[in-house]
Amino acid sequence: SPAEDRRMLTSITLGVLGVGSISTEIARLSRAVGMTVWGLCRANKQSRPEFNRLTTVGNLSEFLAGCDYICNVLPSTTETQDLLSGDALSSCKSKSPVFINVGRGGIISEESLLAALENGWLRGAVLDVFKEEPLPVISPLWSHPKVTVTPHISGPSVAENIAEVFVRNYEKYVNKQSLDHVVNWEKGY
């Protein structure tokens, strides 16, 4: 019912898959409005003020079970492919969170996502990315009543911002300083 959908932000736990720069900003803004924010990372990390709790992929079931909303911001790597596929989201059945995917579509198969929605493991999904892009016209996600599809616009790039990063990195390069936003080829992002 509509009354059940109204909750104070302070009563919501947001689980963020990933703890990189984008995830950290999502966590910072969510904490600023009173939400409890959990972060899921590959390995143990020191606590960060943006997150109320950090845990590892080894605790995925417990992590998922405690979230009201789950936001995926993970990159596409061999470790993250199909991380939520199969019955991984069955851990969500008690809270039935909303899944928000602004990371990479390969984290979950379309079939697994649809099954999680149909089984009530998820209350809804907001999807900006998909395993196959563009999302095929025949995909049932387009018309599913519990799914909102956005056109891969969760992180738009603005020319001025790109230029600022380039200039800042150029100055660091010239001064033999560490660059920002360097890709780690071993990790895949």
Side-chain angles (χ1 to χ4, degrees), residues 84-97 108 110-124 144 146:
L84 300 180
S85 290
D87 65 352
L89 292 173
S90 66
S91 301
C92 298
K93 60 186 162 199
S94 65
K95 283 195 159 190
S96 190
I108 188 168
E110 186 172 312
E111 297 78 19
S112 296
L113 180 58
L114 289 166
L117 290 164
E118 295 308 314
N119 290 328
W121 302 340
L122 293 177
R123 184 171 63 251
H144 198 289
K146 296 180 181 177

Side-chain angles (χ1 to χ4, degrees), residues 14 16 18-39 46-54:
L14 170 66
V16 183
V19 294
S21 59
I22 296 170
S23 301
T24 299
E25 186 65 5
I26 290 169
R28 185 186 70 78
L29 294 170
S30 299
R31 292 265 328 251
V33 296
M35 296 171 81
T36 298
V37 183
W38 295 356
Q46 291 182 333
S47 65
R48 294 180 170 175
E50 298 86 2
F51 296 91
N52 296 92
R53 177 180 171 200
L54 288 176

Side-chain angles (χ1 to χ4, degrees), residues 96-112:
S96 190
V98 172
F99 176 62
I100 303 164
N101 195 357
V102 296
R104 295 292 180 249
I107 189 119
I108 188 168
S109 70
E110 186 172 312
E111 297 78 19
S112 296

Side-chain angles (χ1 to χ4, degrees), residues 2-188:
E4 292 172 356
D5 291 339
R6 294 187 197 122
R7 295 183 280 171
M8 298 294 293
L9 290 174
T10 54
S11 72
I12 292 174
T13 297
L14 170 66
V16 183
L17 303 176
V19 294
S21 59
I22 296 170
S23 301
T24 299
E25 186 65 5
I26 290 169
R28 185 186 70 78
L29 294 170
S30 299
R31 292 265 328 251
V33 296
M35 296 171 81
T36 298
V37 183
W38 295 356
L40 185 82
C41 46
R42 293 180 326 116
N44 286 328
K45 300 215 183 234
Q46 291 182 333
S47 65
R48 294 180 170 175
E50 298 86 2
F51 296 91
N52 296 92
R53 177 180 171 200
L54 288 176
T55 192
T56 61
V57 175
N59 298 317
L60 180 63
S61 292
E62 177 189 341
F63 175 87
L64 295 172
C67 297
D68 298 296
Y69 289 82
I70 299 166
C71 183
N72 175 50
V73 194
L74 289 170
S76 180
T77 68
T78 55
E79 294 171 326
T80 62
Q81 284 294 313
D82 292 309
L83 182 67
L84 300 180
S85 290
D87 65 352
L89 292 173
S90 66
S91 301
C92 298
K93 60 186 162 199
S94 65
K95 283 195 159 190
S96 190
V98 172
F99 176 62
I100 303 164
N101 195 357
V102 296
R104 295 292 180 249
I107 189 119
I108 188 168
S109 70
E110 186 172 312
E111 297 78 19
S112 296
L113 180 58
L114 289 166
L117 290 164
E118 295 308 314
N119 290 328
W121 302 340
L122 293 177
R123 184 171 63 251
V126 180
L127 309 171
D128 193 55
V129 293
F130 306 91
K131 199 166 210 169
E132 183 181 347
E133 293 189 358
L135 184 62
V137 175
I138 61 169
S139 171
L141 293 173
W142 286 111
S143 59
H144 198 289
K146 296 180 181 177
V147 174
T148 300
V149 173
T150 60
H152 206 136
I153 57 165
S154 62
S157 298
V158 180
E160 293 84 11
N161 294 349
I162 295 169
E164 287 174 13
V165 170
F166 176 81
V167 168
R168 194 168 46 249
N169 265 348
Y170 176 76
E171 289 170 350
K172 287 182 173 191
Y173 177 77
V174 168
N175 292 312
K176 299 186 184 338
Q177 298 173 337
S178 297
L179 304 180
D180 296 329
H181 313 293
V182 175
V183 173
N184 181 324
W185 295 105
E186 290 178 13
K187 290 182 179 177

